[in-house]
Amino acid sequence: MENYLEVRWHGRAQQGIVTAAKMLGEACLMAGKFVQAFPEFGPERMGAPVRAYNRVSDEPVRLHSQVQNPRYVLIADPTLISVVPVTEGTPDNAVFIVNTAKTPAEMRTELGIKGGGAKVYTIDASKISLETIGRAMPNTPLLGALTKVTGIIGLTALIENFKENYAKKFAQKVIEGNVAAMNRGASEVKGE
Amino acid sequence: MATNTAMKKQTGLTGNSAIAIAMKQINPDVCPAYPITPSTAIIEDFSSYVADGDVDTELITVESEHSAMSACIGAAAAGARVMTATSSQGLALMWEMLYIASGMRLPIVITNVNRALSAPINIHCDHSDSMGARDAGWVQLYSETVQEAYDNLIMAVRIAENEKVLLPVMVCLDGFITSHAIENITLLDKAEVQSFIGEYKPERSLLDIDHPSTFGAMTLQDAYMTFKHQQSEAMTRAKDVVSSVSAEFAKKFGRNYGLIDAYRLEDAEIAIVILNSAAGTTKVVVDELRKQGKKAGMLRLRLFRPLPHKEIADALKNCKAVAVLDRADSMNDFGGPLFNEVRSALYDGETRPKVISRIYGLGGRDYKIKDATDVFDELSAAVKTGKTDTLTKYITL
């Protein structure tokens, strides 16, 4: 089958996961990859569970179905774990990154992951975003954590792309806050 | 020039953003708009371009899609280059005006971001909306990717305005799957787009007061049918114009599009016929089956109106079993609209494959690798036994 890296993002509407998937896709594209970044909307209301996906490849991406078997799963809101099947379809070597103050061992239990092949990482992305951006927006700390624990994209490439693409959209203060959030996400993510 | 374009840096855009950029580069005179999910972002982006002075377009915010198409018709009859975008109920509400646009031979270009029709209400992708307009006299182009949607829209202007055609053109792309997905795309420069589409000089227009002419006049038994005959012949001619415009686009910009996209069909025994984004997923499955030694292929129609029936028949003539996958149901107990036309196109062939109808993906239901694989398995069994299970069936249920 085609050789893709596949990512699934779980969050609630307004937590910025669609933007996170977009930023990841754009950064990978700038690094020379073929990408997809797409949301899966359900009911369009604040707080509703939302998914977003990435595919990253060295070849043009032809597949247009939803991501079924993501190796990388990012969970922006741990209260979704009991509501949405966040581990569904994941392979034995899956990587989970969860926004929580809890330890990876605690999250492993909550996620119900048995096999030793899968890895669980945690990052208190809500706290970081409150301190850097001034509101709970866990997407950019999660992206920072992703650069640390996966080889999908480097932290520098992520930040450079973000600055370039969003300089016109956001105030300088917002850009700086998000860059700080990405840096802290990368340095504060915890593994088992 | 082709080398230059190939060397250009790619960017990542959603289908909606790419369509809005194409509209910015085309710089139409008038854009009447009433946004609707999932095509909303097209008008959202484009209205920013208008507000920022990036285009000279007069954006008319109307009170319904019926009014949007009515304003398109009025502006086009006045001699303007006119574009808009819609989806689903929006296209449905335009219905009576769609026929007036084509009957008055007005080269309006619209993007239809495919979405299911109510009821039950649903915002996700299927092709019920544009299939409902298939007899409205509009040229219809379907797009597999963000890149193709962008390219199709630029070509649509040339096709619509060609003096041998003078018909409205609808460019279709899949709601959410393409409209909201970021994919790699290579954009043209505005100057390249402008030089490709050229200036629009209608032969007749309401505002050309030196040559007064009548538009949309009453015609009775003596004239109505003559108008329709001419319209029908224009639609026939549109096929060659789509070919020549696409060939010129390929020569200038290096991206090659045919009327149909025949994928590994040369020696195929089994094939899926499909539209839009699901073709990509089907190609992935075709490659997998080929690795297993199975002679599978895929046919995607880029042009649905006019129907490239000779090309379809030629592409499928060596197949033994074919499944036509419709993302819309005709509710006729006899398969989807694409099925009926493809099957009919094969009727005059010396050898006719078995042809079955499968309805998939309504209201955004996902079409996965397994779904395509199952259809190919069914076709393989039909080749072996010489029999098909059922003529029409819903899949992805």
Side-chain angles (χ1 to χ4, degrees):
Chain A
M1 203 52 74
E2 320 275 276
N3 197 15
Y4 304 132
L5 283 178
E6 292 183 317
V7 182
R8 186 168 70 209
W9 298 79
H10 290 280
R12 293 186 184 275
Q14 306 296 319
Q15 287 185 323
I17 62 151
V18 175
T19 306
K22 179 174 187 269
M23 285 163 58
L24 177 62
E26 287 166 347
C28 292
L29 191 146
M30 293 290 274
K33 302 285 186 184
F34 291 91
V35 302
Q36 283 178 346
F38 55 105
E40 182 189 339
F41 291 114
E44 289 175 316
R45 57 180 157 77
M46 214 169 165
V50 174
R51 295 176 196 216
Y53 306 100
N54 285 106
R55 287 194 177 96
V56 182
S57 173
D58 290 325
E59 302 289 325
V61 183
R62 301 181 296 177
L63 206 58
H64 282 104
S65 56
Q66 287 162 13
V67 169
Q68 305 296 311
N69 308 108
R71 174 147 186 234
Y72 304 98
V73 178
L74 290 97
I75 300 164
D77 189 331
T79 65
L80 284 170
I81 293 171
S82 56
V83 186
V84 174
V86 293
T87 58
E88 191 179 43
T90 52
D92 292 341
N93 64 349
V95 174
F96 295 88
I97 307 176
V98 188
N99 169 24
T100 175
K102 292 180 185 170
T103 66
E106 286 172 303
M107 284 323 293
R108 173 177 288 273
T109 311
E110 273 192 43
L111 288 164
I113 296 165
K114 302 265 172 8
K119 290 199 165 64
V120 180
Y121 296 89
T122 62
I123 176 78
D124 198 346
S126 296
K127 179 167 166 268
I128 293 173
S129 65
L130 280 170
E131 290 170 7
T132 52
I133 309 164
R135 62 192 183 110
M137 188 52 72
N139 58 357
T140 40
L142 279 168
L143 277 168
L146 182 79
T147 66
K148 183 69 185 294
V149 303
T150 75
I152 298 177
I153 188 82
L155 179 62
T156 313
L158 178 76
I159 290 173
E160 288 310 310
N161 179 70
F162 172 70
K163 283 183 183 165
E164 194 180 320
N165 275 333
Y166 294 84
K168 278 188 199 163
K169 267 188 190 163
F170 297 137
Q172 186 57 26
K173 202 180 146 210
V174 178
I175 298 278
E176 282 166 15
N178 278 287
V179 169
M182 290 179 198
N183 277 314
R184 281 189 59 185
S187 61
E188 293 176 28
V189 62
K190 286 178 288 195
E192 287 164 288
Chain B
M1 195 177 258
T3 326
N4 185 21
T5 306
M7 280 157 60
K8 271 187 196 165
K9 226 171 155 185
Q10 291 203 318
T11 182
L13 290 173
T14 63
N16 280 341
S17 299
I19 289 290
I21 290 172
M23 288 173 69
K24 177 168 76 169
Q25 295 173 325
I26 291 163
N27 192 10
D29 300 311
V30 178
C31 173
Y34 192 83
I36 177 169
T37 303
S39 55
T40 310
I42 296 173
I43 299 305
E44 197 177 317
D45 282 9
F46 188 72
S47 55
S48 302
Y49 301 144
V50 174
D52 293 346
D54 294 334
V55 289
D56 309 310
T57 310
E58 183 165 346
L59 182 77
I60 310 174
T61 52
V62 288
E63 73 281 14
S64 76
E65 289 88 353
H66 187 282
S67 303
M69 187 45 63
S70 300
C72 283
I73 290 165
R81 183 176 263 163
V82 183
M83 305 183 83
T84 189
T86 193
S87 294
S88 180
Q89 308 303 123
L91 189 68
L93 190 54
M94 286 179 182
W95 200 81
E96 66 166 331
M97 304 317 290
L98 292 177
Y99 283 75
I100 294 172
S102 61
M104 284 172 68
R105 308 292 299 277
L106 300 171
I108 298 161
V109 173
I110 74 170
T111 301
N112 181 63
V113 177
N114 286 111
R115 165 186 156 184
L117 289 170
S118 293
I121 192 166
N122 176 291
I123 57 168
H124 290 281
C125 176
D126 72 34
H127 303 157
S128 308
D129 52 4
S130 56
M131 283 298 157
R134 70 186 182 274
D135 294 343
W138 285 59
V139 173
Q140 286 191 340
L141 292 165
Y142 286 80
S143 323
E144 181 179 329
T145 61
V146 171
Q147 180 78 65
E148 189 180 355
Y150 169 84
D151 292 343
N152 275 344
L153 196 70
I154 293 162
M155 285 184 260
V157 175
R158 284 282 303 279
I159 296 161
E161 293 171 3
N162 186 292
E163 58 179 17
K164 290 180 189 156
V165 179
L166 289 176
L167 287 172
V169 178
M170 185 182 299
V171 172
C172 301
L173 60 142
D174 281 345
F176 288 101
I177 303 165
T178 310
S179 68
H180 284 62
I182 291 172
E183 294 180 355
N184 293 53
I185 175 172
T186 305
L187 295 172
L188 303 175
D189 294 336
K190 185 172 183 179
E192 289 175 318
V193 173
Q194 281 296 321
S195 113
F196 185 78
I197 61 172
E199 198 185 334
Y200 175 48
K201 286 184 204 144
E203 203 182 314
R204 289 175 198 84
S205 72
L206 287 176
L207 294 184
D208 181 5
I209 49 171
D210 294 331
H211 307 91
S213 46
T214 302
F215 280 72
M218 176 77 167
T219 56
L220 298 175
Q221 298 93 321
D222 61 335
Y224 179 86
M225 194 158 172
T226 308
F227 275 93
K228 287 294 151 188
H229 183 224
Q230 287 175 354
Q231 190 184 333
S232 177
E233 295 203 311
M235 187 58 94
T236 301
R237 290 192 295 269
K239 197 181 89 170
D240 286 343
V241 173
V242 174
S243 287
S244 64
V245 169
S246 304
E248 190 185 325
F249 188 91
K251 201 176 157 200
K252 285 201 165 123
F253 307 123
R255 290 191 290 276
N256 209 341
Y257 302 99
L259 304 179
I260 58 169
D261 174 9
Y263 189 71
R264 304 189 85 162
L265 277 175
E266 306 80 23
D267 62 339
E269 289 183 347
I270 50 175
I272 284 179
V273 183
I274 203 157
L275 297 175
N276 277 7
S277 67
T281 307
T282 309
K283 286 175 190 172
V284 171
V285 174
V286 166
D287 287 353
E288 278 307 301
L289 294 173
R290 287 279 174 172
K291 280 183 210 157
Q292 299 164 23
K294 290 182 185 155
K295 291 185 174 175
M298 186 227 56
L299 178 68
R300 176 177 71 89
L301 273 62
R302 172 169 166 256
L303 183 68
F304 181 67
R305 282 291 179 270
L307 189 78
H309 51 91
K310 286 194 185 104
E311 290 77 3
I312 293 168
D314 190 52
L316 297 172
K317 66 175 188 284
N318 296 324
C319 291
K320 291 179 178 159
V322 172
V324 183
L325 269 62
D326 271 281
R327 206 163 197 155
D329 191 351
S330 283
M331 300 291 176
N332 57 357
D333 188 37
F334 198 57
L338 186 61
F339 162 76
N340 275 288
E341 301 205 359
V342 168
R343 197 165 188 250
S344 175
L346 290 164
Y347 187 81
D348 287 329
E350 281 173 25
T351 55
R352 286 200 294 267
K354 298 262 178 214
V355 188
I356 56 172
S357 167
R358 296 293 177 262
I359 309 284
Y360 78 102
L362 301 186
R365 181 65 62 87
D366 202 19
Y367 171 74
K368 302 176 176 70
I369 284 174
K370 187 177 182 304
D371 300 314
T373 310
D374 288 350
V375 172
F376 277 121
D377 284 349
E378 209 178 335
L379 293 174
S380 293
V383 170
K384 213 171 276 176
T385 61
K387 280 185 219 158
T388 50
D389 174 17
T390 50
L391 185 66
T392 67
K393 191 163 75 178
Y394 270 53
I395 60 167
T396 67
L397 268 173

